[in-house]
Amino acid sequence: MTSKIIGTGSYLPSHVVTNDDLAKVVDTDDEWISSRTGIKERRIVDNEKEETAYLASMAAKAAVEDAGISPEEIDLILLATMSPDQVLPNVACEVQEAIGAIHAVGMDLNAACSGFVFALNTAHAYITAGIYKNILVIGAETVSKTIDWADRSTCVLFGDGAGAVVVTASETGSYEMVMGADGKKKNALTCKCRPMNNLFLKGSELEYIKMEGQEVFKFAVKTVPECVTEVMEKAKVTADDIKFFVLHQANQRILSSVAKRLNVSMDKIPMNVDRYGNTSSASIPILLDELNKKGLLQEGDKLVLSGFGGGLTWGASLIEW
Ligand code: ACO
Protein backbone atom coordinates (compact mmCIF):
# COMPACT_ATOMS: atom_id res chain seq x y z
CA MET A 1 0.00 0.00 0.00
CA THR A 2 1.27 3.45 -0.90
CA SER A 3 -0.25 6.94 -1.30
CA LYS A 4 -1.16 8.87 -4.44
CA ILE A 5 -2.28 12.42 -5.18
CA ILE A 6 -5.68 12.33 -6.91
CA GLY A 7 -6.62 16.03 -6.92
CA THR A 8 -5.05 19.48 -6.68
CA GLY A 9 -6.33 23.00 -6.07
CA SER A 10 -5.03 26.46 -5.29
CA TYR A 11 -6.19 29.94 -4.41
CA LEU A 12 -4.36 33.23 -4.84
CA PRO A 13 -5.70 36.57 -3.63
CA SER A 14 -6.53 38.81 -6.60
CA HIS A 15 -4.57 41.84 -5.35
CA VAL A 16 -1.30 42.03 -7.31
CA VAL A 17 1.60 43.99 -5.80
CA THR A 18 4.41 44.71 -8.27
CA ASN A 19 8.03 45.58 -7.50
CA ASP A 20 7.25 49.14 -8.59
CA ASP A 21 4.43 49.26 -6.03
CA LEU A 22 6.90 48.26 -3.29
CA ALA A 23 9.40 50.86 -4.47
CA LYS A 24 6.84 53.45 -3.36
CA VAL A 25 6.88 52.01 0.20
CA VAL A 26 10.56 51.16 0.83
CA ASP A 27 13.91 52.14 -0.70
CA THR A 28 14.11 49.47 -3.42
CA ASP A 29 13.58 49.03 -7.14
CA ASP A 30 12.48 46.46 -9.69
CA GLU A 31 16.05 45.89 -10.89
CA TRP A 32 17.35 44.96 -7.41
CA ILE A 33 14.43 42.66 -6.60
CA SER A 34 14.32 40.97 -10.03
CA SER A 35 18.06 40.37 -10.30
CA ARG A 36 18.47 39.05 -6.73
CA THR A 37 15.28 36.98 -6.48
CA GLY A 38 13.51 36.63 -9.86
CA ILE A 39 10.35 38.03 -8.24
CA LYS A 40 8.34 40.51 -10.35
CA GLU A 41 5.10 40.58 -8.38
CA ARG A 42 3.26 38.84 -5.53
CA ARG A 43 -0.32 38.57 -4.27
CA ILE A 44 -1.19 40.25 -0.97
CA VAL A 45 -4.58 39.96 0.73
CA ASP A 46 -6.37 43.30 0.88
CA ASN A 47 -9.62 42.50 2.67
CA GLU A 48 -10.61 40.97 5.99
CA LYS A 49 -12.30 37.96 4.40
CA GLU A 50 -9.06 36.62 2.95
CA GLU A 51 -7.55 35.14 6.10
CA THR A 52 -5.38 32.01 6.02
CA ALA A 53 -8.45 29.83 6.69
CA TYR A 54 -10.32 31.34 3.73
CA LEU A 55 -7.41 30.88 1.33
CA ALA A 56 -6.99 27.31 2.59
CA SER A 57 -10.69 26.51 2.24
CA MET A 58 -10.84 27.80 -1.34
CA ALA A 59 -7.79 25.73 -2.34
CA ALA A 60 -9.20 22.70 -0.47
CA LYS A 61 -12.59 22.93 -2.20
CA ALA A 62 -10.87 23.02 -5.60
CA ALA A 63 -8.68 20.02 -4.74
CA VAL A 64 -11.60 17.93 -3.47
CA GLU A 65 -13.59 18.77 -6.61
CA ASP A 66 -10.61 17.84 -8.79
CA ALA A 67 -10.26 14.53 -6.92
CA GLY A 68 -13.91 13.72 -7.64
CA ILE A 69 -14.68 12.67 -4.07
CA SER A 70 -17.14 14.08 -1.58
CA PRO A 71 -15.82 16.15 1.38
CA GLU A 72 -17.47 13.60 3.69
CA GLU A 73 -15.01 10.96 2.47
CA ILE A 74 -12.01 12.86 3.85
CA ASP A 75 -10.58 11.25 6.99
CA LEU A 76 -7.91 13.81 7.91
CA ILE A 77 -7.02 17.41 7.09
CA LEU A 78 -3.32 18.20 7.55
CA LEU A 79 -2.67 21.89 7.19
CA ALA A 80 0.81 23.37 6.98
CA THR A 81 1.13 27.03 7.91
CA MET A 82 3.40 29.45 9.71
CA SER A 83 0.77 32.20 9.56
CA PRO A 84 -2.44 30.93 11.21
CA ASP A 85 -5.17 33.48 11.89
CA GLN A 86 -5.21 32.75 15.61
CA VAL A 87 -3.76 30.44 18.24
CA LEU A 88 -7.09 28.60 18.58
CA PRO A 89 -8.88 27.02 16.80
CA ASN A 90 -6.45 25.52 14.33
CA VAL A 91 -6.89 26.37 10.66
CA ALA A 92 -7.63 22.75 9.70
CA CYS A 93 -10.80 22.76 11.81
CA GLU A 94 -11.93 25.95 10.09
CA VAL A 95 -11.40 24.29 6.72
CA GLN A 96 -13.28 21.22 7.93
CA GLU A 97 -16.33 23.37 8.65
CA ALA A 98 -16.02 25.49 5.50
CA ILE A 99 -15.90 22.56 3.08
CA GLY A 100 -18.22 20.21 5.00
CA ALA A 101 -15.60 17.53 5.68
CA ILE A 102 -17.67 16.38 8.64
CA HIS A 103 -15.83 13.11 9.24
CA ALA A 104 -12.33 14.54 9.06
CA VAL A 105 -9.90 15.03 11.92
CA GLY A 106 -8.06 18.36 11.56
CA MET A 107 -4.61 19.44 12.64
CA ASP A 108 -2.06 22.12 11.74
CA LEU A 109 1.65 21.57 11.27
CA ASN A 110 4.36 24.24 11.23
CA ALA A 111 7.69 23.63 9.55
CA ALA A 112 7.87 27.04 7.78
CA CYS A 113 8.52 26.63 4.05
CA SER A 114 9.10 22.86 4.46
CA GLY A 115 5.59 22.54 5.93
CA PHE A 116 3.81 21.13 2.88
CA VAL A 117 6.42 18.42 2.26
CA PHE A 118 6.37 17.47 5.96
CA ALA A 119 2.54 17.31 5.86
CA LEU A 120 2.53 15.22 2.67
CA ASN A 121 5.05 12.81 4.19
CA THR A 122 2.91 12.61 7.35
CA ALA A 123 -0.15 11.83 5.20
CA HIS A 124 1.82 9.05 3.49
CA ALA A 125 2.76 7.60 6.88
CA TYR A 126 -0.88 7.58 8.07
CA ILE A 127 -2.02 5.95 4.84
CA THR A 128 0.66 3.25 4.75
CA ALA A 129 -0.03 2.49 8.42
CA GLY A 130 -3.62 1.77 7.37
CA ILE A 131 -5.03 4.44 9.69
CA TYR A 132 -6.65 6.77 7.12
CA LYS A 133 -7.63 6.43 3.46
CA ASN A 134 -8.30 9.95 2.13
CA ILE A 135 -6.24 12.89 3.40
CA LEU A 136 -6.47 16.54 2.43
CA VAL A 137 -3.03 18.15 2.62
CA ILE A 138 -2.93 21.95 2.49
CA GLY A 139 -0.25 24.65 2.53
CA ALA A 140 -1.80 28.05 3.29
CA GLU A 141 -0.24 31.35 4.24
CA THR A 142 -0.94 35.01 4.75
CA VAL A 143 2.76 35.73 5.28
CA SER A 144 2.01 39.41 4.68
CA LYS A 145 0.81 39.85 8.25
CA THR A 146 4.14 38.64 9.64
CA ILE A 147 6.19 41.11 7.60
CA ASP A 148 7.80 44.35 8.71
CA TRP A 149 6.78 46.54 5.77
CA ALA A 150 9.60 48.95 6.58
CA ASP A 151 12.25 46.21 6.20
CA ARG A 152 13.23 46.14 2.51
CA SER A 153 15.39 43.03 2.96
CA THR A 154 12.34 40.85 3.74
CA CYS A 155 9.18 42.63 2.58
CA VAL A 156 10.00 42.20 -1.11
CA LEU A 157 10.33 38.42 -0.85
CA PHE A 158 7.01 37.03 0.32
CA GLY A 159 3.43 36.64 -0.91
CA ASP A 160 0.11 35.15 0.22
CA GLY A 161 -1.63 32.07 -1.19
CA ALA A 162 -2.77 28.50 -0.66
CA GLY A 163 -2.49 25.15 -2.39
CA ALA A 164 -3.99 21.76 -1.59
CA VAL A 165 -3.91 18.14 -2.67
CA VAL A 166 -6.06 15.10 -1.93
CA VAL A 167 -4.00 12.01 -1.17
CA THR A 168 -5.47 8.54 -1.18
CA ALA A 169 -4.43 4.95 -0.50
CA SER A 170 -3.25 3.20 -3.66
CA GLU A 171 -1.98 -0.28 -4.48
CA THR A 172 0.20 1.01 -7.32
CA GLY A 173 2.89 3.67 -7.38
CA SER A 174 5.91 4.50 -5.26
CA TYR A 175 6.89 7.02 -2.59
CA GLU A 176 10.09 7.90 -0.77
CA MET A 177 10.80 10.66 1.72
CA VAL A 178 13.64 12.50 3.41
CA MET A 179 13.26 15.07 6.19
CA GLY A 180 15.67 17.01 8.34
CA ALA A 181 15.94 19.79 10.92
CA ASP A 182 18.74 21.79 12.53
CA GLY A 183 17.65 23.77 15.58
CA LYS A 184 21.18 25.15 16.04
CA LYS A 185 20.42 27.43 13.07
CA LYS A 186 17.05 28.49 14.46
CA ASN A 187 18.00 32.18 14.44
CA ALA A 188 18.50 32.32 10.66
CA LEU A 189 14.78 32.86 10.19
CA THR A 190 12.51 33.90 13.03
CA CYS A 191 9.18 35.53 13.77
CA LYS A 192 7.98 36.01 17.33
CA CYS A 193 4.43 36.92 16.54
CA ARG A 194 3.01 36.69 20.04
CA PRO A 195 5.16 38.34 22.71
CA MET A 196 5.58 36.50 26.03
CA ASN A 197 3.19 38.06 28.52
CA ASN A 198 2.04 36.47 31.79
CA LEU A 199 1.72 37.17 35.52
CA PHE A 200 5.50 37.40 35.89
CA LEU A 201 6.66 38.70 32.52
CA LYS A 202 5.84 41.99 30.87
CA GLY A 203 4.90 41.70 27.20
CA SER A 204 7.61 42.76 24.77
CA GLU A 205 7.26 44.49 21.40
CA LEU A 206 5.42 42.69 18.62
CA GLU A 207 8.02 41.18 16.28
CA TYR A 208 7.99 40.40 12.57
CA ILE A 209 9.98 38.11 10.27
CA LYS A 210 13.73 38.49 10.66
CA MET A 211 16.06 36.73 8.31
CA GLU A 212 19.78 36.25 7.84
CA GLY A 213 19.38 36.21 4.06
CA GLN A 214 22.84 34.99 3.11
CA GLU A 215 22.79 32.27 5.79
CA VAL A 216 19.46 30.97 4.42
CA PHE A 217 20.75 31.21 0.84
CA LYS A 218 23.90 29.18 1.61
CA PHE A 219 21.85 26.59 3.52
CA ALA A 220 19.35 26.22 0.66
CA VAL A 221 21.83 25.80 -2.20
CA LYS A 222 23.71 23.12 -0.24
CA THR A 223 20.90 21.24 1.49
CA VAL A 224 18.27 21.05 -1.29
CA PRO A 225 20.53 19.22 -3.80
CA GLU A 226 21.70 16.93 -0.98
CA CYS A 227 18.21 15.92 0.15
CA VAL A 228 16.93 15.60 -3.43
CA THR A 229 19.88 13.30 -4.24
CA GLU A 230 19.24 11.30 -1.06
CA VAL A 231 15.57 10.74 -1.87
CA MET A 232 16.44 9.64 -5.44
CA GLU A 233 19.05 7.21 -4.10
CA LYS A 234 16.50 5.78 -1.66
CA ALA A 235 14.09 5.24 -4.57
CA LYS A 236 16.92 3.86 -6.74
CA VAL A 237 16.25 6.36 -9.54
CA THR A 238 18.36 9.07 -11.20
CA ALA A 239 17.53 12.62 -12.26
CA ASP A 240 16.80 11.27 -15.77
CA ASP A 241 13.83 9.34 -14.34
CA ILE A 242 12.30 12.50 -12.81
CA LYS A 243 9.83 14.52 -14.88
CA PHE A 244 9.84 17.62 -12.66
CA PHE A 245 11.60 18.82 -9.53
CA VAL A 246 8.85 20.83 -7.82
CA LEU A 247 10.89 22.93 -5.41
CA HIS A 248 9.90 25.53 -2.83
CA GLN A 249 9.67 28.85 -4.68
CA ALA A 250 11.88 31.10 -2.55
CA ASN A 251 14.24 32.61 -5.07
CA GLN A 252 15.13 32.05 -8.72
CA ARG A 253 18.86 32.12 -7.97
CA ILE A 254 18.44 29.30 -5.44
CA LEU A 255 16.52 27.24 -8.02
CA SER A 256 19.15 27.83 -10.73
CA SER A 257 21.93 26.88 -8.35
CA VAL A 258 20.09 23.67 -7.37
CA ALA A 259 19.64 22.82 -11.07
CA LYS A 260 23.39 23.25 -11.64
CA ARG A 261 24.35 21.13 -8.65
CA LEU A 262 21.93 18.37 -9.69
CA ASN A 263 23.10 18.72 -13.30
CA VAL A 264 19.53 19.01 -14.61
CA SER A 265 18.06 21.42 -17.14
CA MET A 266 15.89 24.30 -15.89
CA ASP A 267 13.07 22.79 -18.02
CA LYS A 268 12.72 20.23 -15.24
CA ILE A 269 12.49 22.89 -12.52
CA PRO A 270 9.21 24.72 -13.04
CA MET A 271 8.90 28.21 -11.52
CA ASN A 272 6.23 30.70 -10.59
CA VAL A 273 8.21 32.72 -8.04
CA ASP A 274 8.18 35.61 -10.54
CA ARG A 275 4.37 35.89 -10.18
CA TYR A 276 3.75 34.93 -6.53
CA GLY A 277 6.99 35.50 -4.60
CA ASN A 278 7.72 33.16 -1.69
CA THR A 279 4.40 31.84 -0.38
CA SER A 280 6.16 29.60 2.17
CA SER A 281 4.31 26.29 2.73
CA ALA A 282 1.85 27.12 -0.07
CA SER A 283 4.40 27.41 -2.89
CA ILE A 284 4.79 23.70 -3.73
CA PRO A 285 1.06 22.81 -3.88
CA ILE A 286 0.31 26.00 -5.87
CA LEU A 287 2.96 25.02 -8.44
CA LEU A 288 1.78 21.40 -8.47
CA ASP A 289 -1.76 22.60 -9.19
CA GLU A 290 -0.49 24.75 -12.08
CA LEU A 291 1.36 21.79 -13.62
CA ASN A 292 -1.68 19.56 -13.16
CA LYS A 293 -4.14 22.04 -14.63
CA LYS A 294 -1.85 22.62 -17.63
CA GLY A 295 -2.03 18.86 -18.30
CA LEU A 296 1.73 18.43 -17.83
CA LEU A 297 1.46 15.49 -15.41
CA GLN A 298 0.72 11.98 -16.72
CA GLU A 299 0.07 8.82 -14.75
CA GLY A 300 3.35 7.16 -13.80
CA ASP A 301 5.40 10.40 -13.94
CA LYS A 302 7.91 10.62 -11.12
CA LEU A 303 8.23 13.97 -9.34
CA VAL A 304 10.50 15.17 -6.55
CA LEU A 305 9.00 17.81 -4.26
CA SER A 306 11.41 19.61 -1.95
CA GLY A 307 10.91 22.29 0.68
CA PHE A 308 13.35 24.20 2.89
CA GLY A 309 13.03 27.00 5.38
CA GLY A 310 12.90 28.21 8.97
CA GLY A 311 13.84 25.85 11.77
CA LEU A 312 16.00 25.25 9.87
CA THR A 313 14.03 22.47 8.19
CA TRP A 314 14.22 20.65 4.87
CA GLY A 315 12.57 17.70 3.19
CA ALA A 316 11.84 15.90 -0.05
CA SER A 317 9.15 13.55 -1.32
CA LEU A 318 9.57 11.39 -4.40
CA ILE A 319 6.08 10.67 -5.67
CA GLU A 320 4.54 8.89 -8.64
CA TRP A 321 1.64 10.67 -10.36
N1 ACO B 1 16.27 46.71 -2.35
C1 ACO B 1 17.46 47.34 -2.47
N2 ACO B 1 18.51 47.05 -1.69
C2 ACO B 1 18.36 46.09 -0.76
C3 ACO B 1 17.13 45.41 -0.58
C4 ACO B 1 16.06 45.76 -1.42
N3 ACO B 1 14.85 45.16 -1.33
N4 ACO B 1 17.29 44.52 0.42
C5 ACO B 1 18.55 44.62 0.86
N5 ACO B 1 19.20 45.57 0.15
C6 ACO B 1 20.56 46.02 0.29
C7 ACO B 1 21.15 45.76 1.65
O1 ACO B 1 20.80 46.77 2.56
C8 ACO B 1 22.63 45.74 1.34
O2 ACO B 1 23.07 47.07 1.25
P1 ACO B 1 24.52 47.50 1.82
O3 ACO B 1 25.49 46.70 1.01
O4 ACO B 1 24.55 48.97 1.57
O5 ACO B 1 24.50 47.09 3.27
C9 ACO B 1 22.71 45.15 -0.07
O6 ACO B 1 21.38 45.28 -0.63
C10 ACO B 1 23.09 43.68 -0.08
O7 ACO B 1 22.31 43.00 0.87
P2 ACO B 1 22.43 41.45 1.09
O8 ACO B 1 21.51 40.99 2.17
O9 ACO B 1 23.88 41.08 1.17
O10 ACO B 1 21.87 40.93 -0.32
P3 ACO B 1 21.96 39.50 -0.93
O11 ACO B 1 22.74 39.52 -2.17
O12 ACO B 1 22.32 38.46 0.09
O13 ACO B 1 20.44 39.23 -1.34
C11 ACO B 1 18.52 38.04 -0.54
C12 ACO B 1 19.45 39.24 -0.35
C13 ACO B 1 17.81 38.19 -1.87
C14 ACO B 1 17.50 38.04 0.59
C15 ACO B 1 19.36 36.74 -0.53
O14 ACO B 1 20.20 36.69 0.59
C16 ACO B 1 18.47 35.52 -0.51
O15 ACO B 1 17.82 35.21 -1.48
N6 ACO B 1 18.47 34.73 0.59
C17 ACO B 1 17.59 33.60 0.74
C18 ACO B 1 16.30 34.10 1.28
C19 ACO B 1 15.20 33.09 1.29
O16 ACO B 1 15.05 32.35 0.34
N7 ACO B 1 14.42 33.10 2.35
C20 ACO B 1 13.25 32.32 2.47
C21 ACO B 1 13.52 31.04 3.12
S1 ACO B 1 12.10 30.06 3.17
C22 ACO B 1 11.23 30.22 4.66
O17 ACO B 1 11.29 29.41 5.52
C23 ACO B 1 10.34 31.41 4.88
Side-chain angles (χ1 to χ4, degrees):
M1 187 59 70
T2 185
S3 69
K4 227 176 180 135
I5 293 176
I6 55 164
T8 64
S10 59
Y11 180 84
L12 277 308
S14 58
H15 186 210
V16 176
V17 177
T18 65
N19 292 345
D20 288 339
D21 292 332
L22 287 180
K24 291 176 197 148
V25 184
V26 285
D27 182 14
T28 189
D29 55 59
D30 177 53
E31 205 283 317
W32 193 97
I33 304 171
S34 303
S35 62
R36 304 272 172 143
T37 70
I39 299 166
K40 300 299 278 181
E41 58 187 46
R42 71 286 294 142
R43 305 294 179 91
I44 304 286
V45 298
D46 66 349
N47 62 80
E48 280 164 16
K49 184 177 81 172
E50 285 184 321
E51 292 196 307
T52 300
Y54 179 82
L55 271 51
S57 302
M58 295 301 279
K61 258 183 210 163
V64 173
E65 215 174 287
D66 189 45
I69 64 167
S70 129
E72 284 125 49
E73 292 175 77
I74 297 165
D75 305 307
L76 171 67
I77 300 171
L78 274 173
L79 190 140
T81 189
M82 61 170 202
S83 52
D85 306 310
Q86 64 264 320
V87 177
L88 294 167
N90 67 27
V91 187
C93 282
E94 294 208 70
V95 173
Q96 188 234 34
E97 186 203 13
I99 68 167
I102 51 173
H103 298 121
V105 177
M107 63 173 118
D108 291 1
L109 184 156
N110 179 358
C113 303
S114 311
F116 179 78
V117 167
F118 280 24
L120 191 70
N121 289 345
T122 306
H124 176 75
Y126 271 116
I127 285 171
T128 51
I131 298 169
Y132 295 122
K133 182 167 179 271
N134 294 318
I135 304 182
L136 180 57
V137 184
I138 307 168
E141 307 279 5
T142 46
V143 189
S144 57
K145 68 177 172 236
T146 67
I147 300 285
D148 176 358
W149 289 95
D151 176 7
R152 67 178 180 172
S153 67
T154 52
C155 77
V156 301
L157 303 176
F158 296 96
D160 300 330
V165 301
V166 175
V167 186
T168 198
S170 166
E171 278 171 14
T172 60
S174 54
Y175 195 109
E176 281 297 343
M177 69 173 86
V178 167
M179 291 195 278
D182 182 2
K184 283 196 194 112
K185 302 220 175 88
K186 64 184 183 208
N187 291 329
L189 197 46
T190 60
C191 180
K192 286 189 181 169
C193 271
R194 213 176 155 80
M196 180 66 85
N197 185 17
N198 66 24
L199 271 181
F200 317 103
L201 288 166
K202 205 167 152 280
S204 53
E205 288 284 299
L206 197 60
E207 287 186 26
Y208 295 97
I209 282 188
K210 284 186 194 151
M211 186 179 65
E212 294 167 16
Q214 287 184 5
E215 194 61 39
V216 177
F217 192 92
K218 278 189 268 172
F219 149 73
V221 297
K222 179 174 180 291
T223 311
V224 179
E226 280 173 4
C227 80
V228 166
T229 304
E230 193 183 335
V231 85
M232 290 193 297
E233 281 171 3
K234 267 180 116 174
K236 298 187 176 55
V237 299
T238 69
D240 291 342
D241 302 310
I242 305 300
K243 175 108 175 240
F244 292 118
F245 296 86
V246 184
L247 309 179
H248 170 47
Q249 302 287 295
N251 179 316
Q252 190 176 9
R253 284 194 302 152
I254 292 177
L255 299 177
S256 307
S257 167
V258 171
K260 235 183 234 159
R261 287 182 193 219
L262 288 174
N263 199 20
V264 300
S265 134
M266 281 307 282
D267 298 345
K268 283 192 168 197
I269 304 198
M271 271 193 289
N272 60 16
V273 68
D274 54 327
R275 283 173 285 136
Y276 304 136
N278 177 349
T279 55
S280 187
S281 70
S283 84
I284 292 174
I286 291 171
L287 186 55
L288 208 49
D289 186 43
E290 282 190 356
L291 297 172
N292 187 25
K293 298 292 156 62
K294 281 183 190 158
L296 294 172
L297 305 176
Q298 269 81 49
E299 198 171 345
D301 282 347
K302 288 189 167 59
L303 311 176
V304 173
L305 319 183
S306 178
F308 53 93
L312 295 173
T313 55
W314 60 92
S317 321
L318 198 153
I319 65 171
E320 196 172 311
W321 200 253

